Amino acid sequence: MRVLTTIDEVRAARGAFPGLGLVPTMGFLHEGHLSLVSRAKAECGAVAVSIFVNPTQFGPNEDLARYPRDLPRDLAFLQAGGVDAVFTPSPSEIYPAGFATRIEVGAVAEPLEGASRPGHFAGVATVVAKLFNIVQPTRAYFGQKDAQQCVVIRRMTRDLDLPVEIVVAPTVREADGLALSSRNAYLEPAQRAVAPVLFRALSDARLRFEAGERNAEALRAIIREVIAREPGVDIDYVSVADPETLRELDSVGTVGLASLAARIGKTRLIDNVLLGGAAPDVRAATT
Ligand code: PAF
């Protein structure tokens, strides 16, 4: 496994891999990342992982400084996962002095995470476009857990004619349903114990959808009610939206995206389920 820190090193190494899958990450890797790595390796023949805690996607009062980092552990994990190359640039390699360009993706970046975290998706889109240009992957792999991020990246990739295929893989969950996330590391044991309520609430809404409920506000109400029964969980938003446009729905047709963000203590978690026609979530092998 090659560990590369500069853009020049990546460009020099790129020719060795005719097909290359890229898994962009911010490190502190878990089984969800590993599932993306395995799929990329199987589908592309070779896989590169970027590890970069991207400062421009964090707001001024967010967790950039305390975001969990453990590069030696991540590298051991990736080596065992059969990764061909890892790109771990410094902030100044990605954002040299004078850097001034931002990619604004438009309407799909505005609601939900975009409304709660102003500027977040401009930071994500800009760094992902740079990673695509640097690594030049044939395919790039993202997790459905970050549903809006996937929509934003697909939109950007189409709009800018970037020559990469975007693959979205199912959310990987703990045995009790909690979606895997690097931020789960922030949860204290009592907080970790209540966190599965997020997926329970979304699953209840999905069950009601499958039983025939089509009124989007009724589905949002179910999610809110289930969460309200668990003390210490503060809802940021609950949404039932069109999975492509992310516009809130009055009535769900054949498909919808039920998503939420909530705080447990200081930790902000997001999760979602697709209503109708969805690939099932995956349980982590280790739990
Ligand atoms: O999902 C993430 O980890 C990040 O948003 C990404 C895509 C690596 C961009 O920094």
Side-chain angles (χ1 to χ4, degrees), residues 24-26 33 52 54 57 120 124 127-128 142 146 149 153:
T25 81
M26 298 206 299
H33 296 112
F52 180 62
N54 173 36
Q57 70 188 74
H120 170 68
V124 170
V127 81
V128 169
F142 298 89
D146 298 307
Q149 171 169 282
I153 289 168

Side-chain angles (χ1 to χ4, degrees), residues 119-137:
H120 170 68
F121 285 121
V124 170
T126 305
V127 81
V128 169
K130 283 180 64 82
L131 290 168
F132 287 176
N133 284 330
I134 294 164
V135 178
Q136 302 189 6

